[in-house]
Amino acid sequence: MNVQEKIVPDHKIAVMKHKGSLSDMEVMISKLTGWVEDKEIKTIGDYFVIFYRMPDRVKEDDVVYDLGVPISDDEVDKTPEIDIADMVEHTVLSGIHQGSRDNIRESYDEMIEFAEVNHYDIIGSPKEIFLNSPFEVEEKDCLREIQLPVIKM
């Protein structure tokens, strides 16, 4: 895996908070997509998930994550299910994982080792950006950009 440092610029996100199974994600993406289309909101990036409790570390129904998408609209009202938030510029380590969630821990471990060897401190929750839809491609072809927020020590 090629791991590199990136600067993520300031941007707005539309986000849904969730505690439950990853299998709920397809319905959440449908709801978020429907809201974006209904409100004619311009997205400026791919859908993502930020994990607060990693799926491989908790029971299936105890995963805690936000599902979101970057947006450009400033005058968007939140709903009971969808919040609008500002993401401030930050530094991440970035790597591309290809394949299913079954072996994604290997990619995380590579990135954590890279961080340790290169004197980075991981300072926040990991983000996975869907570079293609896990619901539209075979698992072996699924691409996710993993981002770990860091500071250089």
Side-chain angles (χ1 to χ4, degrees):
M1 167 182 281
N2 179 27
V3 179
Q4 57 187 322
E5 179 183 302
K6 284 173 60 169
I7 303 294
V8 178
D10 292 342
H11 61 282
K12 284 198 175 306
I13 59 172
V15 65
M16 298 176 74
K17 300 178 183 316
H18 189 68
K19 179 182 178 191
S21 172
L22 286 180
S23 63
D24 301 335
M25 197 177 299
E26 188 169 8
V27 171
M28 293 173 63
I29 289 174
S30 293
K31 286 181 182 180
L32 191 53
T33 300
W35 176 81
V36 163
E37 291 172 354
D38 183 54
K39 300 292 184 189
E40 299 179 350
I41 296 169
K42 183 174 189 233
T43 60
I44 56 172
D46 295 313
Y47 284 81
F48 64 84
V49 60
I50 299 173
F51 288 106
Y52 303 103
R53 287 193 191 161
M54 293 297 288
D56 63 335
R57 309 259 185 204
V58 297
K59 294 180 195 171
E60 181 181 342
D61 289 336
D62 286 340
V63 182
V64 177
Y65 58 94
D66 290 347
L67 173 76
V69 65
I71 60 174
S72 66
D73 297 328
D74 286 335
E75 302 299 321
V76 179
D77 293 324
K78 64 183 185 176
T79 73
E81 283 188 297
I82 301 168
D83 200 5
I84 307 301
D86 292 311
M87 293 290 284
V88 296
E89 180 180 277
H90 58 284
T91 304
V92 299
L93 291 181
S94 169
I96 305 298
H97 172 78
Q98 180 172 354
S100 74
R101 289 209 63 80
D102 294 341
N103 66 343
I104 200 165
R105 173 52 54 192
E106 295 168 18
S107 294
Y108 275 98
D109 290 345
E110 278 186 56
M111 293 180 71
I112 291 166
E113 182 178 346
F114 179 93
E116 291 170 351
V117 168
N118 292 283
H119 308 287
Y120 288 94
D121 192 12
I122 299 170
I123 60 169
S125 297
K127 177 194 269 186
E128 294 178 16
I129 301 169
F130 301 111
L131 302 179
N132 57 14
S133 173
F135 309 110
E136 296 175 359
V137 297
E138 291 185 41
E139 275 190 320
K140 68 179 179 57
D141 298 323
C142 192
L143 293 173
R144 293 177 183 89
E145 178 185 356
I146 300 170
Q147 292 184 348
L148 302 177
V150 296
I151 56 172
K152 187 83 167 165
M153 298 188 295

